[in-house]
Amino acid sequence: MSVVPSRVIGMTTAVTVKAGTPGARPSGARGSAVRLSADEARRLALRAQGLLGAPDRKAGPRGVLRRLGAVQLDTISVLARSHELVPYARLGAVGRSAVEEAYWSGDAETGAFEYWSHAACILPIEEWPLFAFRRRAMRERGHRWHIMADADRSCAAVRDRLRAEGPLTATDLGGAKNGGEWYDWSETKIAVEWLLDTGEVVCTRRRGWKRVYDLAERAVPDALFHDDLDDAECVRRLVAQAGAAMGVATRADLADYHRLKGEQVDAVIDGTGLVPVEVAGWDKPAWADPAALAEEPRGRHRTTLLSPFDSLIWDRPRTERIFGFTHRLEAYVPKARRVHGYFAMPLLTGGRLAGRVDPAREGRTLVARQVSLEGPRAVEPMARALWEAAGWVGCDSVRVERCDDAKLAAALVSALTALG
């Protein structure tokens, strides 16, 4: 990538940065910014997210987690749960047990924990200190949206059980529900979630989709078990991490990655090391990771299906801005009003989003319940992506139920047959 000089806009001067120049930085008047085309920004984002160039198979799923900084969890499981789909999208048909082991190995130095980031996310254990600001905010608020009848007694009981018996689920602790609706939590469940929010307890793994809780003092390595960083330093490091994970981002993008406020980003952006850039077609200022600017974003593009919760596309306005692709998770939309299906997964191919499929499994058949394709060029990539996904989840056949274009549907069936 070579960024060429162009006209001066207001007080912002465009400058030249040659990719591959070690330590390349923008120069010129104060407030100067690197100019990027929309295509260059797209490729920077793909490279930063591990979807352009050779995957680091040696680092595996654990390397993916550390590169992204956060992998979102969700209860929906179609082909697999979303946190499994994220490394699959980058590494290909990596063993699902290897994914779980990478996240929940229990290794004090290379492990992970679950906490509130973009949403409920798996986070590298080294990020524990960075969320001290959020744990403090929880403590200052004084309660969750659930209210405990006897908070001191309930929290003490949870601490005592975990200290005496080791990691436990809410069921092990006495039950998560009072017997009513899903949100009708037991006093014990409220207590252990409060202790998780405030940092006394940590989720060390999921077992049957239930959180397994342990005392943070036991689960977090001694060198990381502290809340010494002040709020500004926590936020500064998280914004820098988000910038590196996205490659290039606006203020709103940087805030959304770990669900910060725009004002928090404003307060620390100058200290993050991120480089001001202007992206053609973007109507807001942006910042780029200097390491991303100094390296040519080239290599093989992955052709794959993406979870709607993948960090490449979890921010819908950013997805539309970068890819010109509007996507909506319709799992919570009434069935009659769905356009693309319950869990439509976008197709990434050639660095573009070129369609989507709502998948399901019936025995050893992967069912494409509904397919939408951007055009004829998306047919063969969709066929390849479906076969790869089928093999990964143990299916040996693929069936297309519906496609929004009859000619493309016929072409897709032919491509699937040829590849099968």
Side-chain angles (χ1 to χ4, degrees):
M1 176 180 67
S2 179
V3 184
V4 298
S6 58
R7 67 183 185 279
V8 175
I9 302 177
M11 295 298 292
T12 302
T13 304
V15 299
T16 301
V17 174
K18 296 287 187 180
T21 304
R25 298 291 188 276
S27 59
R30 184 174 180 177
S32 64
V34 175
R35 294 295 301 274
L36 299 173
S37 69
D39 184 64
E40 287 166 341
R42 178 182 56 81
R43 287 188 287 124
L44 285 176
L46 288 164
R47 182 61 178 267
Q49 283 280 300
L51 289 159
L52 171 60
D56 187 350
R57 299 194 183 283
K58 185 176 180 180
R62 185 175 288 128
V64 170
L65 174 62
R66 274 151 184 78
R67 180 173 196 147
L68 301 182
V71 171
Q72 186 172 342
L73 291 155
D74 193 78
T75 58
I76 297 173
S77 180
V78 179
L79 293 181
R81 292 200 188 275
S82 185
H83 67 284
E84 298 173 281
L85 292 167
V86 169
Y88 163 74
R90 288 151 180 83
L91 302 173
V94 59
R96 294 173 68 183
S97 60
V99 173
E100 294 296 332
E101 179 64 20
Y103 291 151
W104 309 122
S105 65
D107 188 312
E109 301 304 320
T110 61
F113 70 106
E114 180 184 335
Y115 196 61
W116 306 110
S117 168
H118 183 80
C121 289
I122 302 172
L123 305 164
I125 193 65
E126 58 265 28
E127 290 184 12
W128 174 269
L130 307 190
F131 286 87
F133 82 104
R134 190 154 284 163
R135 294 190 289 270
R136 282 191 287 265
M138 295 285 193
R139 288 193 289 268
E140 289 171 6
R141 190 172 66 183
H143 61 84
R144 306 184 99 247
W145 56 277
H146 304 87
I147 304 298
M148 286 181 278
D150 190 341
D152 290 342
R153 180 191 61 79
S154 298
C155 289
V158 168
R159 293 188 196 98
D160 290 345
R161 288 284 305 279
L162 293 176
R163 188 169 290 112
E165 301 175 43
L168 299 170
T169 66
T171 300
D172 297 331
L173 287 164
K177 299 179 182 178
N178 284 325
E181 300 293 336
W182 66 268
Y183 51 81
D184 185 22
W185 285 4
S186 68
E187 184 89 352
T188 297
K189 173 68 171 175
I190 298 171
V192 74
E193 288 290 322
W194 170 248
L195 294 174
L196 183 144
D197 287 349
T198 56
E200 287 192 61
V201 161
V202 63
C203 175
T204 59
R205 66 170 55 241
R206 291 268 185 156
R207 185 192 304 148
W209 201 241
K210 295 178 181 179
R211 283 176 172 157
V212 179
Y213 305 94
D214 198 3
L215 295 174
E217 64 192 43
R218 184 162 55 204
V220 180
D222 291 344
L224 299 172
F225 185 58
H226 65 80
D227 282 1
D228 295 347
L229 301 180
D230 64 26
D231 287 9
E233 181 62 12
C234 289
V235 172
R236 186 191 70 79
R237 295 193 192 185
L238 286 174
V239 171
Q241 187 281 319
M246 287 187 283
V248 58
T250 65
R251 171 185 186 257
D253 297 341
L254 292 168
D256 184 73
Y257 204 82
H258 291 294
R259 292 289 163 84
L260 304 171
K261 296 178 180 178
E263 310 85 76
Q264 290 176 300
V265 174
D266 293 340
V268 303
I269 191 68
D270 288 343
T272 61
L274 299 175
V275 175
V277 297
E278 292 180 359
V279 180
W282 292 21
D283 61 1
K284 301 289 183 183
W287 289 262
D289 175 28
L293 291 176
E295 182 181 8
E296 179 73 24
R298 63 173 61 181
R300 178 178 296 180
H301 287 284
R302 274 285 286 154
T303 291
T304 190
L305 301 177
L306 295 171
S307 163
F309 303 109
D310 192 295
S311 51
L312 180 72
I313 58 170
W314 65 18
D315 183 350
R316 308 307 187 217
R318 174 177 169 85
T319 300
E320 189 163 355
R321 185 185 338 118
I322 292 178
F323 296 102
F325 189 88
T326 301
H327 188 65
R328 181 185 184 190
L329 176 66
E330 297 181 330
Y332 308 109
V333 174
K335 187 175 182 178
R337 292 170 52 195
R338 292 174 190 157
V339 177
H340 297 291
Y342 175 78
F343 194 75
M345 298 178 67
L347 169 69
L348 177 69
T349 183
R352 310 278 181 178
L353 298 178
R356 66 199 99 200
V357 58
D358 182 28
R361 281 184 290 170
E362 293 180 2
R364 294 181 63 84
T365 299
L366 188 155
V367 182
R369 295 190 294 191
Q370 184 166 334
V371 179
S372 302
L373 298 169
E374 297 292 297
R377 290 186 178 182
V379 169
E380 194 270 343
M382 177 62 83
R384 285 193 287 121
L386 287 171
W387 271 122
E388 184 184 56
W392 181 56
V393 298
C395 294
D396 53 22
S397 63
V398 177
R399 185 176 80 246
V400 177
E401 285 192 346
R402 295 188 303 278
C403 182
D404 59 5
D405 183 298
K407 291 183 178 179
L408 295 180
L412 178 59
V413 171
S414 295
L416 286 166
T417 302
L419 291 170

